[in-house]
Amino acid sequence: MMDSAAANAFATSVGRLQLGHLDDQVVNCPSGGGSATVVALDYPNGQTIDLWMATTGCANTSNGYISASGAPSV
């Protein structure tokens, strides 16, 4: 569990992630083993969202619908 200060810092970090895609560009990443850090967010209205952040290979974050380049600090 995060306290409110840590949750606010994490939310700020997530908000800085770049959403978009690279058109016609080659990206080389180190080999990834598929490991990830998962942060589960529970909202007062009952909605839950999981953020999957790759810990190896290319840094990326996904909620299952949108992927962003980079990984926030946890």
Side-chain angles (χ1 to χ4, degrees):
M1 294 275 295
M2 291 184 199
D3 63 19
S4 61
N8 284 328
F10 180 73
T12 298
S13 184
V14 168
R16 290 187 180 131
L17 293 176
Q18 295 296 313
L19 300 178
H21 54 89
L22 302 172
D23 289 328
D24 300 321
Q25 293 184 13
V26 175
V27 177
N28 293 309
C29 298
S31 177
S35 61
T37 297
V38 179
V39 175
L41 305 170
D42 292 321
Y43 291 90
N45 67 0
Q47 182 181 16
T48 61
I49 296 173
D50 296 336
L51 293 179
W52 291 72
M53 298 165 287
T55 56
T56 60
C58 283
N60 64 60
T61 300
S62 176
N63 67 2
Y65 300 99
I66 299 172
S67 293
S69 178
S73 56
V74 180

